[in-house]
Amino acid sequence: MGVVVVISIGGWELRLRSRGLNTDYDDGGPLWANLREQVYQADNKATVFIGSSRICYDLDPEVFAQETGRQAIQLGLAGHSPLPFLRDLANDERFHGKLVVDVMEILYWSSLPLHTAESQADVDYYHHRTPAQWASFQLGRPLESSFVFLNQKFLSLNVQLNGLRLPDREGVHGEPPFPVEFWSTCYDRQVKMMPRFLRDSAQQHVVTGLWSFFGSMWKSPPAEAIIAETKQLVAKIRAHGGDVVFVRCPSSNHFLELEQKLVPREKYWDPLIKAAGCKGYFFSDYPGLSKFTPVEWSHLSPAGAIGFTHELIKVLPSSFTQSPS
Amino acid sequence: MVFNSYTFIAFFIVVLLLFNGPFGWKTRKTILLLASYVFYAAWNPPFILLLWLSTVVDFFVGRALYKQTNQAKKRALLVVSLIGNMGMLCFFKYGGFLLENFVTVVNAFGVHYHPAKPNIILPAGISFYTFTTLCYTIDMYKKESAPVKSLLDFSLFVTFFPHLVAGPIVRPPQLVPQFETPRRASRQQLMEGLFLLSLGLFMKVVLADSMLAASSDAVFNSAVAVPGLDAWMGMLAFTGQIFCDFAGYSTCAIGAALCLGFVLPLNFRWPYGASGFADFWRRWHITLSSWLRDYLYIPLGGNRKGGVRTYVNLMLTMLLGGLWHGANWTFVAWGGLHGGYLWVERFFKVRKERRVAAVIAGSGAGTVMPKPVVSEGNFAYALFTFLLINITWIFFRASTFGKAGSMLSSMVGLVHGAAPVLATVAMVKIGVIVLALVVIHWLLRKTTVLAAVYRMPWWLTGVLWGAMIVLLLLSQASSNSFIYFQF
């Protein structure tokens, strides 16, 4: 029995490493909750970030910490709306920190369960987490940081079987075939593209193709209700002693064109910032933020994230970046 | 904590080491009891108080019941225990359901009463440990077994972590004597226990969670009607999921106990290989079926009070059995359907027995017995049983009668323009797993897992065991709760 296990798992692990894959962390409720519980630090010791995938790729928490002396608590979630996170923090009277909200308009204004269910599930997990679940997360961490094959999102048995891509009936869509190299989650929840993805234009084309495919299904969402709710939520956070700013990270090419067409700034972003009464940083307004080109129209490379983080620190209010000392 | 978690693996290694340490028997039992409390508190620490309350009350009430000779006082003690146990269960599990139905009824009479929805958290395993303590109290009342001598043994009987939250539901004579004499697992027991633990985790993590749960959820949670093919496959996915989830838990529980040297009763015996519904209930959740038989069906009169009462008792038992699973009328309907199947089956069985008796009476002794209408080894009847059980699971899984109706409509082709939700690969997985389950259950229906394993060559056992662990490691499904925890 042991021989079968060692040979099979060992062989699989070696094969994955020979492909250049990194170890990473399962970006589920446990990892999110691990950071969520850290938002109660003194408000000059941490800055909290929520949003969708762009802030996860474009912000380097390590660089942020080195430069500001504050922890960057990354609570964004790829492919999902951050509104459940904003609601959670606004309804938490103990939270009085500084909050940066990344806005990817299509997701921010989406009320589809597809775009909100997982963010809400993370919030629920945090609030109902049991001591056993907390312990499991702590015990799993050394394993996840040692074995490449422990990558539930891309390398689990079920995902491998789903990758067989048998022809489906019309109207049925399986999981989008993102390349595994596109997505590696760090312990601080920064998401990084792996070196092979950055070298391989074919893989980048797969992802831009997926953006085009998704884009063909997107529609302009109604703006008013979400803007009104955001205004209320921001007011709640300020009433607790916290503060909020909004950030629009870079996008380019067809993706940006699509966004300009479906969710134009003047109809979504500008009214949101005005209603919330917050500062908003739209990348194209700032030369420092607009000099970065997303690898696949939507996200920055790890090197780009370092530069973007430096530039973001320059534009954020000093209360969001000042050192504890 | 759940068996499919890193926490349990670490916990179990520590418990195995401490329990097998150089300590006296009382110390080792105390270690096991404390470990069981840790196991339970790892969910929600405050609920351990309920467990303590239930344990202490039933220990002392049980002892007093056994010694009491005055019938009136005895009855009063029994009522105290029943109110304590059932009251707790009713409050936590059925409080919201009772209030909801009360509101519906008073609203129907024109009274505008709309109370706030109660926010009651269900303590893990309350249905299981309540039944465990209840049977002790009733046994003491009827003097069917001797009272447990020490509070330590009784606490361990109620709290022993392998069976605590989702069974098997144990009776005092099955477990208490094992605490009375010092024991350690033999090497064979340890290996068998580890094998069962691996098998249970394989069923839960690989088959139920990784391969079937998403398809079942996609179909049953679909906001719109699904086509017939998706409805049938969703139903089959749940059929596989519920078995692999629950039998997986029981297999883990039996395996974990065996690693410590204790034997828990069998809870599943290849239920999808059952020929008939009485046979199904002798194979599915055996410890609950036998509990309901001994503490509900027989006290109601069983089959001793004539034909009509037998049918009534049968139906009452199945309806209450359905309600035990969850505070929703869909569970009652599920129990009612099974009660109906048992009625029909019993009707034909009794008719056949009468015909046989008539033939014997008419022909005299030595006459060749007429062939049974349906034999227990009839594969066609087993398939028919399986089909009806499948359809009945819809009421178990659907959250409302509307959803159950929508599923049934889709299955018989009454829905048009529905949106498909299942990918081809998902349907292939469901088909392969459910077919394999039915074949394995049918072929092994007269034996047990361990007996089947002992018949295999050693190298094949090793390869299969290794393959299960490899698939378990590759599945990486998160530590999802077992379905039966909610009951």
Side-chain angles (χ1 to χ4, degrees):
Chain A
M1 180 264 281
V3 176
V4 173
V5 174
V6 170
I7 290 177
S8 308
I9 296 297
W12 179 232
E13 176 72 13
L14 287 175
R15 181 160 182 263
L16 296 173
R17 284 179 183 270
S18 70
R19 271 176 65 184
L21 301 185
N22 306 333
T23 55
D24 85 339
Y25 293 87
D26 175 23
D27 194 12
L31 189 62
W32 191 87
N34 181 55
L35 285 172
R36 169 64 179 81
E37 71 186 356
Q38 296 177 33
V39 304
Y40 305 112
Q41 301 177 41
D43 64 2
N44 63 349
K45 286 193 174 166
T47 303
V48 181
F49 293 82
I50 61 173
S52 305
S53 57
R54 284 181 189 155
I55 199 67
C56 298
Y57 276 94
D58 297 0
L59 179 84
D60 189 321
E62 220 173 291
V63 169
F64 190 89
Q66 280 167 4
E67 199 152 312
T68 65
R70 298 163 67 102
Q71 184 186 356
I73 299 175
Q74 178 58 269
L75 296 179
L77 185 64
H80 290 80
S81 161
L83 258 187
F85 303 149
L86 187 60
R87 288 185 195 118
D88 175 46
L89 292 170
N91 291 321
D92 184 348
E93 294 192 356
R94 288 170 60 210
F95 175 67
H96 49 74
K98 302 290 183 270
L99 177 66
V100 179
V101 183
D102 153 54
V103 176
M104 191 280 186
E105 295 88 348
I106 289 290
L107 294 173
Y108 193 85
W109 269 272
S110 173
S111 53
L112 294 174
L114 175 72
H115 296 145
T116 56
E118 214 172 301
S119 350
Q120 188 57 50
D122 281 350
V123 171
D124 294 343
Y125 183 91
Y126 168 70
H127 288 288
H128 299 111
R129 185 175 53 167
T130 66
Q133 288 171 326
W134 176 86
S136 266
F137 172 74
Q138 302 300 335
L139 290 166
R141 185 183 166 190
L143 295 174
E144 285 189 275
S145 58
S146 304
F147 296 104
V148 174
F149 81 89
L150 291 177
N151 175 338
Q152 192 182 351
K153 186 169 182 64
F154 285 100
L155 302 174
S156 66
L157 179 66
N158 209 27
V159 175
Q160 298 291 312
L161 289 174
N162 291 344
L164 292 175
R165 299 273 152 208
L166 301 178
D168 281 320
R169 289 169 296 166
E170 200 183 322
V172 176
H173 304 292
E175 285 286 309
F178 285 108
V180 59
E181 289 86 353
F182 176 51
W183 197 315
S184 174
T185 306
C186 306
Y187 189 66
D188 58 16
R189 295 193 70 255
Q190 183 185 1
V191 181
K192 291 181 177 176
M193 296 165 198
M194 294 186 205
R196 186 173 156 190
F197 183 83
L198 296 168
R199 289 194 306 268
D200 189 346
S201 58
Q203 289 200 356
Q204 293 167 18
H205 283 137
V206 169
V207 177
T208 51
L210 285 169
W211 298 149
S212 300
F213 171 73
F214 292 139
S216 66
M217 296 189 293
W218 289 337
K219 293 184 175 78
S220 298
E224 292 75 19
I226 298 288
I227 290 174
E229 188 185 359
T230 303
K231 182 183 170 185
Q232 285 178 357
L233 297 174
V234 167
K236 271 188 175 179
I237 290 175
R238 284 183 167 158
H240 306 157
D243 200 4
V244 183
V245 297
F246 291 83
V247 172
R248 171 58 161 85
C249 293
S251 56
S252 64
N253 297 63
H254 181 55
F255 209 124
L256 182 59
E257 288 161 19
L258 204 66
E259 288 173 318
Q260 284 167 341
K261 186 179 151 201
L262 293 173
V263 280
R265 176 179 177 164
E266 54 279 9
K267 213 178 148 193
Y268 291 86
W269 170 266
D270 292 342
L272 176 82
I273 301 304
K274 193 177 169 197
C278 294
K279 290 195 169 162
Y281 305 94
F282 202 101
F283 75 97
S284 56
D285 294 345
Y286 298 85
L289 298 181
S290 57
K291 67 185 179 189
F292 301 95
T293 308
V295 177
E296 31 56 85
W297 307 345
S298 188
H299 305 94
L300 301 181
S301 66
I306 293 172
F308 183 80
T309 305
H310 282 301
E311 295 298 332
L312 186 63
I313 291 167
K314 285 182 196 166
V315 300
L316 285 175
S318 61
S319 61
F320 282 65
T321 57
Q322 70 192 7
S323 160
S325 56
Chain B
M1 66 187 77
V2 285
F3 290 143
N4 52 324
S5 66
Y6 292 132
T7 316
F8 178 74
I9 295 170
F11 163 87
F12 194 56
I13 291 169
V14 172
V15 171
L16 271 181
L17 289 174
L18 286 175
F19 185 68
N20 287 297
F23 309 114
W25 181 229
K26 196 172 175 182
T27 308
R28 289 170 60 216
K29 283 195 292 186
T30 308
I31 288 169
L32 218 46
L33 180 63
L34 291 175
S36 299
Y37 286 136
V38 169
F39 180 87
Y40 192 74
W43 263 293
N44 197 335
F47 282 138
I48 206 152
L49 295 172
L50 284 178
L51 195 56
W52 283 339
L53 182 72
S54 179
T55 306
V56 171
V57 168
D58 284 310
F59 176 71
F60 289 106
V61 170
R63 184 181 276 189
L65 268 172
Y66 190 81
K67 288 180 182 164
Q68 187 56 253
T69 49
N70 181 314
Q71 272 304 316
K73 285 183 182 171
K74 210 171 167 176
R75 277 205 195 98
L77 280 169
L78 182 67
V79 168
V80 166
S81 176
L82 289 178
I83 288 176
N85 282 306
M86 298 307 286
M88 220 157 65
L89 189 62
C90 283
F91 174 76
F92 285 103
K93 187 165 176 174
Y94 301 105
F97 176 67
L98 291 171
L99 181 66
E100 192 184 310
N101 283 282
F102 176 74
V103 169
T104 307
V105 171
V106 296
N107 287 351
F109 284 98
V111 179
H112 293 285
Y113 175 57
H114 298 284
K117 204 172 178 187
N119 186 18
I120 301 171
I121 301 170
L122 184 68
I126 190 168
S127 306
F128 287 91
Y129 72 71
T130 301
F131 270 35
T132 300
T133 52
L134 259 182
C135 72
Y136 177 72
T137 310
I138 297 168
D139 282 1
M140 290 304 100
Y141 177 79
K142 292 156 82 177
K143 290 200 169 187
E144 291 207 343
S145 59
V148 181
K149 293 186 190 96
S150 77
L151 183 58
L152 174 62
D153 283 4
F154 184 72
S155 304
L156 200 47
F157 157 68
V158 176
T159 318
F160 187 43
F161 72 86
H163 76 73
L164 175 61
V165 287
I169 299 168
V170 286
R171 315 271 187 96
Q174 290 170 326
L175 196 53
V176 172
Q178 298 186 59
F179 296 138
E180 287 169 354
T181 49
R183 61 181 55 230
R184 286 180 201 274
S186 64
R187 193 169 178 276
Q188 184 185 358
Q189 280 181 317
L190 184 66
M191 293 308 283
E192 288 176 357
L194 290 175
F195 178 84
L196 291 176
L197 205 46
S198 313
L199 176 64
L201 288 174
F202 170 79
M203 290 164 72
K204 162 68 178 168
V205 176
V206 180
L207 301 180
D209 286 354
S210 192
M211 301 286 169
L212 299 171
S215 301
S216 161
D217 291 347
V219 172
F220 279 93
N221 297 343
S222 172
V224 293
V226 295
L229 179 62
D230 296 66
W232 279 97
M233 296 311 280
M235 178 196 72
L236 287 172
F238 184 68
T239 295
Q241 186 198 357
I242 185 83
F243 171 75
C244 292
D245 188 283
F246 190 24
Y249 188 91
S250 292
T251 308
C252 286
I254 293 167
L258 206 52
C259 289
L260 294 161
F262 298 96
V263 179
L264 293 182
L266 197 63
N267 216 16
F268 289 86
R269 195 185 288 120
W270 315 113
Y272 293 151
S275 293
F277 300 94
D279 191 29
F280 175 76
W281 285 104
R282 283 192 292 268
R283 296 168 178 277
W284 179 275
H285 203 175
I286 299 165
T287 56
L288 176 69
S289 314
S290 56
W291 197 102
L292 291 172
R293 180 197 63 208
D294 296 343
Y295 296 99
L296 185 60
Y297 177 70
I298 292 175
L300 282 170
N303 59 2
R304 304 183 309 276
K305 295 193 173 176
V308 176
R309 271 297 295 273
T310 301
Y311 284 107
V312 171
N313 293 340
L314 205 51
M315 184 56 83
L316 269 177
T317 305
M318 294 314 293
L319 290 173
L320 287 171
L323 192 60
W324 176 88
H325 284 85
N328 194 331
W329 288 110
T330 50
F331 288 109
V332 180
W334 172 76
L337 280 170
H338 271 284
Y341 301 150
L342 289 170
W343 270 15
V344 174
E345 196 171 74
R346 184 176 172 79
F347 172 78
F348 284 110
K349 189 181 164 209
V350 169
R351 201 174 72 162
K352 188 187 81 187
E353 282 169 357
R354 280 189 190 140
R355 273 174 34 205
V356 170
V359 169
I360 292 171
S363 313
T367 307
V368 176
M369 293 285 281
K371 206 177 169 188
V373 178
V374 173
S375 79
E376 286 224 336
N378 187 326
F379 186 64
Y381 189 45
L383 277 183
F384 177 68
T385 308
F386 180 67
L387 173 72
L388 288 187
I389 283 165
N390 264 286
I391 291 168
T392 315
W393 281 132
I394 290 173
F395 291 88
F396 193 95
R397 175 62 179 81
S399 50
T400 61
F401 284 110
K403 183 68 212 175
S406 162
M407 282 286 288
L408 291 169
S409 303
S410 294
M411 285 163 64
V412 294
L414 293 178
V415 171
H416 299 286
V421 292
L422 293 180
T424 308
V425 70
M427 292 193 285
V428 171
K429 281 187 277 185
I430 296 165
V432 169
I433 292 170
V434 174
L435 182 66
L437 279 179
V438 172
V439 170
I440 290 170
H441 283 216
W442 176 253
L443 293 177
L444 299 182
R445 68 192 184 284
K446 289 178 183 168
T447 184
T448 62
V449 175
L450 289 176
V453 167
Y454 278 118
R455 281 206 300 271
M456 289 194 294
W458 66 268
W459 58 266
L460 184 58
T461 307
V463 169
L464 288 179
W465 194 350
M468 282 196 306
I469 291 180
V470 168
L471 293 173
L472 198 53
L473 291 171
L474 294 180
S475 284
Q476 308 172 42
S478 308
S479 337
N480 294 328
S481 282
F482 289 80
I483 294 174
Y484 263 67
F485 281 15
Q486 62 191 290
F487 307 140

